[in-house]
Structures are given as structure tokens and as C-alpha cells.
Amino acid sequence: TVIPGVVKSVLLVIWIIALLRFLNVVAVEVRVRLDKKESIGDDIFLLVKNLSRVAVILLAVFWILAFWQVNLTPIFASAGIAGIAIALAAKDTLANFFGGISIFADKTFRTGNYIVLDSGERGEVVEVGIRSTRIKTRDDVLITIPNSILANSKIINESAPVPNFRIRVPVGVAYDSDLDHVEEVMMQVALQHDGVLGKPSPRVRVRTFGPSSVNFELLCWVKEPSLKGFITHNLLKELF
């Protein structure tokens, strides 16, 4: 009566230990690949890893109890009641956690991307955590936003689908100016600037007639959104 249960329990423990070690090896390999892509924060990865280990251990415990013919119905009923209580108490935390999972699954953005929020803030994503995402603005101010809010907000990702970013440089000239000459100068300045990409090629457009000026706009592309302010500054000086 006793020996078969003991043998099954020992074999199950051996297999569970082997499975946990295998999961650890897989986790290390996945972590290396995710580090290259910078697509998920360390805390979310560790949480998912630990939850997986806990799930395997709980499964082993219930399996061993089944070997010894222990009635699991009261245990599952108690676990269900406890789960409801925990879910109600940690509703916001769970919403933020699943919001972070949805951000990762949808690939809305990742660490290093420049995003613009609904409220108008623009910055670089520095961390996607379990409960929140942190964004550093151009003023070196850190904004922390709950993942549940981000998952249900309109997000503009300036770094996707390609890192190249188009900037718009407005220029106003007097009404008696030679517009063809103005366009030629603007194109020459853009083409000679090292920070402006050659492809797609820069463009010059007349936009509006202002109260005292003809308003042009220089459209050109830079390597990444973080260069927007610096390149615009240099172009305006050269155009002047």
C-alpha cells in the first residue's frame, strides 16, 4: 500500500527538479535574446519566470496528493475563495500587471523608443516594469505611468516602424523675396548638413501666406527622434 505511493512521489520529485532546471536553462537563453531586442523589462521577465516555477511546483504538490488519494476538492474550494479575495484586494495591481503583458504582446513600444502620450508629453521609454512604464522627457524628467492606463491610451511611437524621423523646419521670408532662390538655399543647406539623411531626400514646400511673410517649410529626415531638437537648431542657424 505504501511503497507504490513512495516510489511515484520520488519519481515525480526527480522529474520536477529536472523540469525546473530545464526551465532555468531556457530562461537564460530567452533573457539573452530579449536583451538584444530590449523588448521587456527585467522585473517583468523575472516575475513571469518565478510564476512559471511556482505553477510547476504547485502542480507537483497536487499530483503527489493525488498519489496518496487525498481529497483535493476542499483545497480547490479554499483556493478559489482566497483567489477571489486576492483579486478584489489587488485589482489595480493586477490591471497594471496585465497591462504590461499586453504592451509586451502587442509590441506597442520598447525600451529606447520615443513616444508621445495623449497628454502631449514626449520622451524616451527607459523601463517597462511590472506595474508601470517610465519615460524620460527631453528635460530629463522621469514620468511614471501605470500600465493599465498606457494599455488603453493612444500612443504615438516616433521610433516605429523605422527609427528615421522626419522634422519640419518653418521659415518665413519677406514678400519681395525671390521664392525660387529661397527654395534653392533651403535645399542646399539641408543637403550639406551631416545630420540630414540623403534618402528620403529633403523637400521644401510653401505652406501659407502670413501677415508679413511667405511661410516655407523644410522637410527632412534624421536618424532617430532624439536628434530632432539639435538638428532643427543647426538648420535654423545655417538657414539664417
Side-chain angles (χ1 to χ4, degrees):
T1 302
V2 175
I3 291 179
V6 172
V7 172
K8 291 179 181 179
S9 299
V10 171
L11 289 176
L12 180 61
V13 169
I14 294 174
W15 277 104
I16 291 299
I17 293 175
L19 178 60
L20 291 176
R21 291 184 178 181
F22 173 75
L23 290 177
N24 188 58
V25 173
V26 172
V28 171
E29 180 65 22
V30 171
R31 175 74 275 183
V32 172
R33 296 186 180 184
L34 291 178
D35 282 340
K36 295 179 180 179
K37 298 180 180 180
E38 297 182 349
S39 56
I40 185 173
D42 289 336
D43 44 3
I44 288 183
F45 175 79
L46 291 176
L47 178 62
V48 173
K49 174 184 174 182
N50 291 333
L51 287 178
S52 301
R53 294 171 63 91
V54 170
V56 172
I57 293 174
L58 288 178
L59 177 63
V61 171
F62 287 134
W63 207 338
I64 290 176
L65 292 177
F67 287 158
W68 294 97
Q69 298 181 358
V70 176
N71 187 8
L72 299 179
T73 302
I75 298 177
F76 285 126
S78 301
I81 296 174
I84 294 174
I86 293 174
L88 292 175
K91 179 178 64 175
D92 293 338
T93 301
L94 290 175
N96 290 326
F97 169 71
F98 287 111
I101 297 298
S102 66
I103 290 173
F104 167 68
D106 294 341
K107 298 181 180 179
T108 308
F109 52 79
R110 64 182 185 180
T111 304
N113 285 169
Y114 273 79
I115 64 175
V116 181
L117 306 177
D118 270 343
S119 54
E121 287 96 345
R122 173 181 179 267
E124 178 186 2
V125 179
V126 295
E127 182 181 357
V128 181
I130 298 173
R131 295 184 61 255
S132 61
T133 296
R134 294 172 177 82
I135 301 170
K136 186 174 73 172
T137 68
R138 298 301 295 168
D139 297 325
D140 287 337
V141 175
L142 196 64
I143 301 176
T144 301
I145 309 168
N147 288 331
S148 59
I149 296 177
L150 274 182
N152 295 283
S153 300
K154 177 183 177 182
I155 303 296
I156 299 175
N157 190 344
E158 295 181 343
S159 301
V162 292
N164 297 345
F165 183 73
R166 186 168 75 170
I167 60 176
R168 301 171 181 267
V169 183
V171 177
V173 298
Y175 272 99
D176 59 354
S177 302
D178 183 345
L179 300 188
D180 291 333
H181 180 61
V182 171
E183 182 177 354
E184 179 182 349
V185 170
M186 293 178 69
M187 282 293 298
Q188 182 180 0
V189 168
L191 292 172
Q192 291 179 352
H193 196 286
D194 294 336
V196 176
L197 299 178
K199 291 183 180 180
S201 59
R203 305 171 188 172
V204 177
R205 297 289 185 267
V206 178
R207 292 306 189 193
T208 58
F209 295 113
S212 60
S213 63
V214 180
N215 297 323
F216 282 77
E217 192 172 51
L218 172 62
L219 307 173
C220 53
W221 281 258
V222 295
K223 291 182 179 179
E224 56 184 40
S226 62
L227 299 174
K228 174 184 177 180
F230 180 68
I231 300 298
T232 300
H233 163 75
N234 288 336
L235 287 173
L236 285 172
K237 289 201 305 182
E238 294 297 326
L239 287 169
F240 179 76

